[in-house]
Amino acid sequence: MLEMCNNQAAGLRSMLAKAAPRVMAMASHGNQQGELPLLWSLCSTLVGLGYPVAVLDATTAESADNPGLEHLLDDAYSKDGDDCDPLSWTVIPAAHGLQRLCSQPSSDHGLAVDPLAGLFPSFGVIVIYAGTEILTRLLPGSGIAPLLTVTPAKASSVTAYQALKKMLLNAQLRPTVANITSKPLSTSSLADQSPIKKLQECAMTFLDYQFDSLAIRVLQSQKCRSDDMNRLAWRLLENALPLQRHHFEGSH
């Protein structure tokens, strides 16, 4: 499986220069200790598949000492995005910049995220890491399946349910749910008490919504974890939003 992915990645790399970036999203719901390691693993996996990644981090605000998306929007024709390592990933402060995109008047010709294509032309994937208040305003009805992480922490099912409810009801976003687990997939003991099981039950009871989750086995062998991350990356790529670069670059 891994060899096949590497071969496919070689073909993907040759297409990156011509292809506009794709947008993914990851919902932040108050559990960064579980979310961030998964996000970094996802970025590394995407790079391995041939997709340089820019993470727009809405949990970090731009400033003069820590410039980010807001500054790129102010200097829309900066060439910084063209100078990236073709097999790299980077994290960009984006709290103010994403708020600005959310506040822009809707256009009949594109989406609020379309300007990102002109700002990050050398990247294959743009990951928006933000709370649901940003995601629901920025990506309503886009077809993106934001990554929603459920960890073994007791409160994880509660905050994940709140995020799931907002995305479903406010923006028709159906998330990709990743279940972070240290147990083998065959383990059945205490399964009914697990956070992912509680989330599934609440979603069905209160939202009449049924979903499957992808398991990420953090304490298993490196091969198992790599297989899990590859499955997650391909699932997110299937639902990623291809940007229309000309919408932004053609305006002056």
Side-chain angles (χ1 to χ4, degrees):
M1 178 177 179
L2 294 179
E3 183 178 354
M4 178 180 68
C5 291
N6 285 335
N7 291 339
Q8 190 165 12
L12 291 171
R13 291 188 186 103
S14 66
M15 299 166 58
L16 286 177
K18 299 179 181 179
R22 303 183 189 187
V23 172
M24 296 179 182
M26 181 175 184
S28 174
H29 58 94
N31 186 17
Q32 289 194 331
Q33 288 184 338
E35 294 166 1
L36 292 180
L38 181 64
L39 178 56
W40 307 152
S41 292
L42 174 63
C43 290
S44 295
T45 300
L46 288 168
V47 168
L49 295 175
Y51 292 90
V53 182
V55 177
L56 303 185
D57 181 8
T59 69
T60 303
E62 304 92 323
S63 67
D65 295 329
N66 194 27
L69 179 60
E70 184 177 40
H71 299 82
L72 291 174
L73 289 170
D74 288 336
D75 186 13
Y77 300 100
S78 169
K79 298 302 182 183
D80 290 348
D82 292 325
D83 297 331
C84 74
D85 183 332
L87 290 179
S88 66
W89 56 278
T90 187
V91 181
I92 300 164
H96 299 316
L98 290 175
Q99 285 284 0
R100 183 190 298 187
L101 291 179
C102 288
S103 302
Q104 289 181 346
S106 59
S107 170
D108 294 334
H109 304 290
L111 299 170
V113 293
D114 277 348
L116 299 178
L119 296 178
F120 303 101
S122 296
F123 288 88
V125 170
I126 299 169
V127 180
I128 299 173
Y129 177 55
T132 53
E133 67 280 357
I134 291 289
L135 298 182
T136 54
R137 293 172 59 199
L138 196 63
L139 302 168
S142 63
I144 289 178
L147 178 58
L148 181 65
T149 304
V150 182
T151 71
K154 291 182 179 180
S156 184
S157 60
V158 176
T159 56
Y161 172 76
Q162 293 170 342
L164 172 65
K165 180 179 178 180
K166 290 178 181 178
M167 288 189 284
L168 280 174
L169 300 184
N170 297 345
Q172 296 77 53
L173 296 175
R174 297 173 175 265
T176 297
V177 181
N179 176 30
I180 309 300
T181 179
S182 59
K183 299 179 182 298
L185 297 185
S186 60
T187 299
S188 58
S189 61
L190 299 179
D192 291 341
Q193 303 301 318
S194 66
I196 189 64
K197 184 67 174 180
K198 292 179 181 178
L199 177 60
Q200 289 172 324
E201 290 176 349
C202 288
M204 192 64 191
T205 301
F206 300 112
L207 302 175
D208 194 26
Y209 179 69
Q210 186 174 6
F211 67 88
D212 295 323
S213 63
L214 292 175
I216 306 296
R217 295 163 288 182
V218 295
L219 297 184
Q220 303 306 304
S221 69
Q222 182 59 41
K223 183 181 185 303
C224 286
R225 181 175 173 82
S226 295
D227 288 349
D228 292 345
M229 290 306 304
N230 273 299
R231 279 190 289 269
L232 177 60
W234 285 118
R235 174 76 66 87
L236 293 171
L237 283 168
E238 287 175 1
N239 296 288
L241 176 68
L243 292 179
Q244 300 298 319
R245 182 176 297 164
H246 64 275
H247 287 162
F248 183 74
E249 293 183 343
S251 61
H252 293 278

